Structure formats: C-alpha cells, structure tokens
Amino acid sequence: MTNAEWFLMVGTLLLVMGLTFTLLKRTPITAAIIYLLVGLICGPSGLNLYHFNPLKDSALLETLTEVVVLISLFSAGVKMPGPFSLARWRTPILLATVSMAITVGLIAALAYFVLGLPLGAGVLLGAILAPTDPVLATDVQIRHPGDRDQLRFTLTCEAGMNDGSAFPFVMLGLGLLGLHDLGDYGVQWFLVDVLWATGASIAIGVVAGVALARLGWKLRRAPHQHELLDDFLGLGLIGVVYGITVLAHAWGFLAVFFAAVALRQTERKLTLSSHEHTDNHPPTGIDEGQVPTVSAGSLVFKEHLERLSELTLVLMLGGTLFINSWSWEAVGLALFVFLVARPVSVLVGLWGTGTARPMRLLTGWFGVRGIGSLYYLMYAIEHGLPEALSLKLIQLTIIVVTLSIFLHGTSVKPLLDRFWPPRKPAQP
C-alpha cells in the first residue's frame, strides 16, 4: 500500500469509529474487534493489500509495543482509587505473582509435553502469554479515578503489575535456551532478575511519583503559582522512570505503573490535607477533579494516545495473519490458556481469600492477552531467539492474541451486564 492509501484507510476508519461511537457502545463489540477485522480483510488473509512481517520488523514492533504498554500502564496507574491499602491490593498482588507463576507453569508444561517445544521455549511461551493486557482490556478496567468497582480495580491493578512480574520468567526462558546468564543453579537469576529487579522497580517508581507530585503541588501554589504542562510532565515521568529503571537492570514496566500510582495517591493526599487544613475539619465529598493535578491533567491525553496506538497495532496484527496461520495446535493452545490455565491459576491464587464466587469466575475469564504479549515476543527475538523457534512462537502468540480479542471482546459487555455487580437475593 502507498502512503496515500494508508492515510485513506486509517482516516476512514477513524471517521467511522468517531461517528458510530454511541452505536458501538450498545453492541457487544469492542473497538479492537473492528480494527482486527479491517486488518484481516485488508491483510494477507483477505485482499492482501499489505503484509506485516513480525520477524523482519521485530525491532520496530518491539519499540512500538514498548511505548504503547508504557502509556497504558501510566493511564492505569493514575486511575487507581485511593487511599492505598494492602487489604484492597491483596487480590491483584496474588494474581500478579502466584497466579502468574501457575499460568507460566501450565503453559510451559503443555508446550513441552504436547507441542514438543524445548523446556526453555515452553517457559518463554508461558511468560509471553501469561500477562493480562492493559491496552486491549479497557472495557473491563477502571473507567475513571473515582471508579471503585472491585472487579475493574482488580483486573486493572493486575494488568499493571503483571506486565512487570512476567519479565523474570522471560529471562528464565531465555536462560534455559542459553541466551541469558542464570548463574549456578539459577542463583544469579533469582537474586538479580527476581529480587533486585522487582524491588528496585517499585522503589524507583514510588520515589519518582511522589517527588513529581510534591514538586508540581508546590509550584502551583503561592508564592510560585506556576502554570504547568501536565501532558509533558506525565510523558516526562514515564521517560525518566523507564530510563533509570532499565539502566539499573530492573523492570521498567513495573516502575512506570508504580510511579503513576504514587503520583495519583500523593496528589490525592495533598488535596485532602489542604482542604482539611483550610476548613479545620475532615473533608467530605471533595471533588478532586476541581484541583489541578499532574495525574488528572495528563490522563485524557494519555488515553487518546492509547486509542490511536491500539488502532495502529491491531491493524498491524491483522496484517500478519495468513489463512494457514490457523493451525490446530495454535487454536488448541489458545483454548487451553483461556479455559484451563487462566481459570485454574485464578482459583488457586485466590484460594482462601474469601473472594466472592462471581468475582473469581469473571476474573478467571477476563484474562485478555494482547500488546504486552507481542512486546515480550519481540524482546525475545531481539535477544537472539533462533529463527525457526521465533517463527513458531510468532504463530502461536498471534493466534492466541487474535482469539483473545474476539472471544473476550464479544463477551465482556454481555457477561458484565448479566453477572456484575452480583445481584443480592430478594428478602423473604
């Protein structure tokens, strides 16, 4: 396709989506499904107007997916409701750690014993497919900073954390394939890739988020009373935190999410304490949106970037698929991930937490796979994954992501309307 034809196609798609926004909200179809259908029709599966080769363009795709995930993680972080409490965060933490490890193990076992992949490739495939996606799962995520829906909070918080908690398993898979140094008996992997990288990521993110929140708060008030560019500050925080964290050999995704959470929570505390100090009584019913903050000011811009990025990457995804990409083993892997690995890992991870049954069942189903999985795949390819193995993992991953967009996308609205929030039994 020529540049003019690309402009025409994307421009037409944007106009259609903009004009039919209200109609689409009433149907069980997400925006990602529309983009994917257009990609499939125009790509090699249909009219063959364009073809995108993930192996050839892995460096470009790695950068694009990296940027998109970072923007999405920041948006998710600044929407986290406050105040922060370990009791409220317990469920998503368990999902991002215990359930994550179980999912990786189940997928690795299937890949090794059924698909015939090497153990390292199986672990790597598990790490690629285990994280839930903060980009394509917007319909089941927190809608705004004041949204206190427990299911949406859990899924959003889990997606924010497990894009970082998957990285140690990616490195473990690469190490088992001889592409990363694990140390004797995996000691170096555990100390550096698990303990150091995770702890440093959270610490860097929290410190940076708190620092920017306090600096912005101080500059906006007397005697300075500066006007601030919240969009630039939000993007700057993402860039600085990610750069520092990667240079420190830690996980940048995790750091950016916690930087956004710390930014939002600190600004919230400053807002509430300011009202309390002014009124000399505990604040009630305060509209935090009336107080200028970096998190609120940058959120709308980030969400617009997220939508445009989703359109671009899903169109590219549709342009990678041929008819013969749909092998039985790829479809079977996808069904295993959706119907076995995800539900089992959620049930085991939340065992004994007292989580309500509808919450566990819906959480077990809504494990959307998407842009994060594509990033980890491109990351592995760029770190020396053999070509034959790369092609195999590309096929498997793209089919899983494609089916996730269709199955989860068409079921989210009907299931939430029918089963969430749970209806209380009628009083006798």
Side-chain angles (χ1 to χ4, degrees):
M1 291 177 66
T2 64
N3 287 345
E5 291 170 334
W6 271 106
F7 274 106
L8 178 61
M9 182 181 75
V10 174
T12 301
L13 185 56
L14 288 172
L15 286 173
V16 171
M17 296 300 294
L19 292 170
T20 60
F21 179 71
T22 301
L23 294 176
L24 287 175
K25 287 176 67 176
R26 300 171 183 168
T27 66
I29 298 176
T30 62
I33 293 177
I34 303 295
Y35 307 149
L36 184 57
L37 287 174
V38 172
L40 290 173
I41 292 171
C42 296
S45 294
L47 301 176
N48 200 25
L49 298 179
Y50 72 97
H51 171 232
F52 186 76
N53 188 330
L55 184 61
K56 179 181 178 182
D57 300 312
S58 59
L60 172 63
L61 190 55
E62 180 189 11
T63 301
L64 290 176
T65 52
E66 188 175 30
V67 171
V68 173
V69 172
L70 286 171
I71 292 172
S72 185
L73 289 172
F74 182 88
S75 298
V78 297
K79 287 187 287 189
M80 288 290 104
F84 173 87
S85 69
L86 190 58
R88 186 182 180 100
W89 279 61
R90 181 189 178 194
T91 297
I93 288 174
L94 288 173
L95 291 173
T97 54
V98 177
S99 296
M100 162 70 72
I102 294 172
T103 304
V104 172
L106 290 173
I107 295 174
L110 179 79
Y112 181 75
F113 291 108
V114 179
L115 302 183
L117 293 176
L119 179 59
V123 173
L124 179 59
L125 182 63
I128 290 170
L129 297 179
T132 54
D133 195 66
V135 183
L136 300 182
T138 52
D139 287 286
V140 292
Q141 291 187 356
I142 288 179
R143 294 158 289 192
H144 51 80
D147 189 349
R148 296 186 175 275
D149 184 281
Q150 185 61 31
L151 176 63
R152 292 180 181 276
F153 165 78
T154 299
L155 293 171
T156 307
C157 193
E158 178 199 6
M161 288 187 290
N162 68 17
D163 267 306
S165 60
F167 243 123
F169 296 104
V170 172
M171 305 315 294
L172 177 60
L174 291 175
L176 293 173
L177 291 170
L179 302 174
H180 177 66
D181 185 10
L182 300 178
D184 295 335
Y185 305 103
V187 172
Q188 180 173 321
W189 170 79
F190 182 73
L191 293 178
V192 176
D193 294 333
V194 179
L195 295 183
W196 161 254
T198 302
S201 300
I202 296 173
I204 293 171
V206 170
V207 169
V210 171
L212 180 59
R214 292 189 174 277
L215 179 60
W217 184 268
K218 182 176 181 180
L219 291 176
R220 275 196 165 103
R221 271 136 193 85
H224 308 287
Q225 294 184 328
H226 288 307
E227 292 184 11
L228 304 179
L229 294 176
D230 294 325
D231 294 341
F232 279 31
L233 291 175
L235 289 172
L237 180 63
I238 293 173
V240 169
V241 168
Y242 190 70
I244 291 175
T245 308
V246 173
L247 289 174
H249 303 288
W251 311 132
F253 286 168
L254 198 61
V256 167
F257 176 71
F258 275 99
V261 172
L263 174 70
R264 155 74 178 162
Q265 298 296 319
T266 303
E267 289 181 331
R268 180 182 183 278
K269 290 179 181 178
L270 291 171
T271 301
L272 296 178
S273 64
S274 174
H275 281 270
E276 183 177 12
H277 177 74
T278 301
D279 300 337
N280 294 318
H281 60 77
T284 57
I286 293 174
D287 183 3
E288 297 174 53
Q290 295 176 353
V291 181
T293 59
V294 176
S295 58
S298 62
L299 179 57
V300 174
F301 177 66
K302 300 300 184 298
E303 289 182 333
H304 290 166
L305 285 179
E306 194 175 5
R307 288 182 184 179
L308 291 173
S309 303
E310 177 187 13
L311 182 151
T312 303
L313 288 173
V314 176
L315 281 178
M316 294 170 68
L317 177 67
T320 65
L321 287 170
F322 292 87
I323 295 297
N324 59 7
S325 299
W326 295 86
S327 66
W328 282 110
E329 64 177 11
V331 174
L333 171 64
L335 296 178
F336 177 82
V337 172
F338 305 152
L339 302 178
V340 179
R342 171 66 179 182
V344 168
S345 68
V346 170
L347 291 176
V348 175
L350 299 185
W351 188 270
T353 62
T355 306
R357 186 169 180 267
M359 175 86 169
R360 283 184 280 118
L361 293 176
L362 289 173
T363 301
W365 171 245
F366 289 127
V368 182
R369 269 63 188 177
I371 307 304
S373 295
L374 296 179
Y375 168 76
Y376 287 121
L377 175 60
M378 296 304 112
Y379 179 91
I381 292 173
E382 284 298 297
H383 281 72
L385 200 64
E387 181 174 334
L389 189 54
S390 296
L391 291 172
K392 184 68 172 179
L393 296 188
I394 286 172
Q395 182 207 14
L396 295 173
T397 301
I398 287 179
I399 292 300
V400 171
V401 173
T402 300
L403 285 176
S404 179
I405 291 174
F406 279 118
L407 294 179
H408 293 123
T410 54
S411 62
V412 54
K413 294 177 184 178
L415 288 178
L416 290 182
D417 290 342
R418 175 67 177 85
F419 298 106
W420 193 262
R423 292 170 175 81
K424 295 181 180 180
Q427 297 294 329

